[in-house]
Amino acid sequence: MTAMISEETRARDAVIRVGKSLFDRRLTFGSTGNISVRLDDGRTVMTPTNASLGDLDPARLSVLDGDGAHVSGDAPTKEALLHRCMYCERAGAGAVVHLHSTHAVAVSVLADVDPDDVLPPLTAYYVMRVGSLPLVPYYPPGDPALALAVQAKAAKHHAVLLANHGPVVWGRSLLDAQYASEELEETARLHLLLGERTVRPLTPDQAAALRK
Ligand SMILES: [Zn+2]
């Protein structure tokens, strides 16, 4: 019992710490973005609806049971189902981070992208931390169809980009999900910075070697 309490306390503290760090570095803003951590017993600690990631209260974080029912804390983010669909498909997922980070959102509104893989493999760290990035068609936030569209991609991908919205990234730990979210945002920034210039992305062989 003691171990279970300390795991939950650690998860709450980590959500607060990571949320503030992401917010302070403008990786999300206002009350956008949400974070969840899955505990060993299947419950999920999640950021509440209408909360700023920069000013979270550990005692008010939402807790959902293994079936997705709200059991304590404030009402969860409107995008709770989206997190749940990621966990359903990924047994190894320990955390999910969803942001409205500016450069990734900018890429999510570009008309001429490959919907199977939106960003080129510009760097080794992008390939190792994110891999590939499919575009999920636009649905309004909180629409159950959006969560199902994410679920359809989640089995094969580490991260997805919601069209005209932002990225959703899962990791084995919250730190993994945080780092991958940051790598995704920086790669989106590089992609936009390079613009129309001719680039030399990693070759398919180089990318494949990193994915192993
Ligand atoms: Zn969102």
Side-chain angles (χ1 to χ4, degrees):
M1 192 64 190
T2 311
M4 195 183 292
I5 290 168
S6 71
E7 186 207 8
E8 182 175 337
T9 302
R10 275 199 310 275
R12 285 178 187 271
D13 290 348
V15 168
I16 303 301
R17 198 170 56 244
V18 169
K20 178 150 177 50
S21 168
L22 292 170
F23 186 88
D24 286 350
R25 289 178 292 140
R26 299 188 56 81
L27 282 146
T28 204
F29 52 88
S31 65
T32 67
N34 32 75
I35 298 174
S36 68
V37 172
R38 178 156 63 177
L39 305 176
D40 289 343
D41 62 9
R43 287 179 305 142
T44 312
V45 175
M46 198 173 285
T47 50
T49 186
N50 253 327
S52 164
L53 292 194
D55 188 28
L56 294 166
D57 178 345
R60 293 179 61 179
L61 292 178
S62 319
V63 178
L64 280 65
D65 69 15
D67 296 322
H70 178 216
V71 290
S72 69
D74 287 0
T77 164
K78 282 188 286 296
E79 285 157 336
L81 189 60
L82 194 149
H83 288 244
R84 189 168 157 64
C85 284
M86 209 80 172
Y87 289 125
C88 286
E89 286 299 316
R90 308 295 314 216
V96 174
V97 171
H98 166 56
L99 300 174
H100 293 187
S101 51
T102 305
H103 299 88
V105 175
V107 169
S108 87
V109 304
L110 291 177
D112 274 336
V113 292
D114 174 2
D116 292 329
D117 197 2
V118 179
L119 287 172
L122 293 178
T123 67
Y125 277 87
Y126 175 75
V127 175
M128 290 190 289
R129 291 211 181 273
V130 179
S132 56
L133 187 67
L135 188 71
V136 173
Y138 176 80
Y139 294 96
D143 187 333
L146 174 63
L148 292 175
V150 167
Q151 186 167 4
K153 306 274 185 208
K156 287 201 178 130
H157 300 278
H158 203 89
V160 298
L161 186 62
L162 312 181
N164 306 71
H165 187 162
V168 186
V169 179
W170 71 269
R172 290 191 179 281
S173 66
L174 180 52
L175 211 56
D176 281 346
Q178 177 194 346
Y179 289 166
S181 301
E182 293 178 11
E183 195 66 43
L184 193 161
E185 171 63 8
E186 290 306 312
T187 303
R189 195 158 84 94
L190 284 175
H191 180 60
L192 296 169
L193 195 65
L194 290 162
E196 297 300 306
R197 293 184 187 205
T198 306
V199 299
R200 191 187 57 250
L202 300 188
T203 65
D205 284 351
Q206 287 169 335
L210 293 164
R211 286 194 180 103
K212 276 181 194 160

